[in-house]
Amino acid sequence: MKIGVLAMQGAYREHISMLKDLDVNAIEIRNKEDLTGIDGLIIPGGESTTMGKLIRALDLYNDLKEMIEEGLPVWGTCAGMILLAKIIYNDDTKHLATMNIEVVRNAYGRQLGSFNTKSYVKGIGEDIEMVFIRAPYIKSVGEGVDVLSIVDENIVAAMEKNMIVTSFHPELTNDNRVHKYFINMVKSNIDNN
Ligand code: GLN
């Protein structure tokens, strides 16, 4: 199994080291060629506008969108969630726009931008460690989207078909349960193809 982590900017190294700790072959995605043969993809947190520009500038946009639409398991954390959303409530920009969710960028405001908590994620467990950094949350979900976690009345994790998104950063904690869950998504996709 090979999992690619989009390595334009942001917290990609932390995802790679967590995957490696779980004995997964994890590689940095920097150009089209890197996409060959990956079984899953993580789009990390960072700055969604910058990442959106870079995937276009490096000619990754069409390949990424097509691979995700064809069923490649993908996990977007924080800015990665924004890149996957079909609608960004407070921004006219659209990025990969593959997932039927409406997100609010920097939803917690600038002052209270970063905080930690522990909460339940459906299918994954109780007391999952959650680090929020100028995070988005999901304002509404469309058909086919399963809400996985709600913190303070806001949706912070959801899933639709091959796509899972989290507002928070599990790669910045010692809690690897979301990574394990994603690895299982990738495994079952390999087994079913
Ligand atoms: N605030 C960032 C954005 O809007 C996301 C922050 C993050 O990924 N930690 O793109």
Side-chain angles (χ1 to χ4, degrees):
M1 177 197 301
K2 185 158 100 173
I3 296 184
V5 182
L6 198 65
M8 308 284 100
Q9 56 99 232
Y12 59 89
R13 291 183 194 87
E14 292 83 352
H15 273 297
I16 290 186
S17 69
M18 207 161 227
L19 291 170
K20 288 194 168 155
D21 286 347
L22 292 166
D23 288 326
V24 171
N25 178 13
I27 63 150
E28 294 180 1
I29 304 291
R30 295 180 183 275
N31 56 49
K32 263 180 187 276
E33 288 68 42
D34 297 332
L35 293 170
T36 314
I38 58 166
D39 302 300
L41 174 75
I42 295 179
I43 306 181
E47 216 288 319
S48 56
T49 310
T50 310
M51 257 194 265
K53 282 183 186 152
L54 286 169
I55 57 176
R56 282 186 170 86
L58 297 164
D59 198 22
L60 282 164
Y61 180 87
N62 289 331
D63 290 51
L64 284 175
K65 190 167 164 84
E66 202 178 290
M67 286 168 85
I68 296 167
E69 282 171 349
E70 283 176 359
L72 180 77
V74 60
W75 172 18
T77 52
C78 204
M81 167 194 270
I82 298 170
L83 258 69
L84 291 172
K86 280 197 178 159
I87 303 170
I88 306 171
Y89 170 73
N90 48 351
D91 194 331
D92 290 335
T93 322
K94 277 203 187 0
H95 302 288
L96 294 163
T98 51
M99 187 163 174
N100 216 351
I101 52 173
E102 178 179 15
V103 302
V104 184
R105 280 188 71 186
N106 301 323
Y108 297 90
R110 273 162 201 271
Q111 296 309 319
L112 218 135
S114 305
F115 62 98
N116 297 357
T117 190
K118 284 184 182 180
S119 195
Y120 168 70
V121 182
K122 185 178 159 190
I124 304 184
E126 302 281 351
D127 293 324
I128 301 286
E129 280 185 53
M130 299 178 173
V131 173
F132 293 83
I133 304 168
R134 303 198 64 217
Y137 62 62
I138 301 174
K139 186 174 158 62
S140 64
V141 302
E143 247 194 65
V145 179
D146 196 9
V147 171
L148 303 183
S149 185
I150 295 177
V151 170
D152 297 334
E153 294 173 19
N154 301 313
I155 304 170
V156 297
M159 184 156 178
E160 179 187 358
K161 294 181 283 189
N162 54 317
M163 299 169 277
I164 183 166
V165 288
T166 56
S167 297
F168 51 92
H169 292 261
E171 79 285 5
L172 303 181
T173 72
N174 291 317
D175 188 342
N176 59 17
R177 286 176 288 169
V178 188
H179 285 80
K180 285 184 178 157
Y181 185 85
F182 181 64
I183 292 166
N184 279 328
M185 275 173 66
V186 176
K187 266 192 198 132
S188 45
N189 188 59
I190 294 174
D191 293 343
N192 294 332
N193 279 314

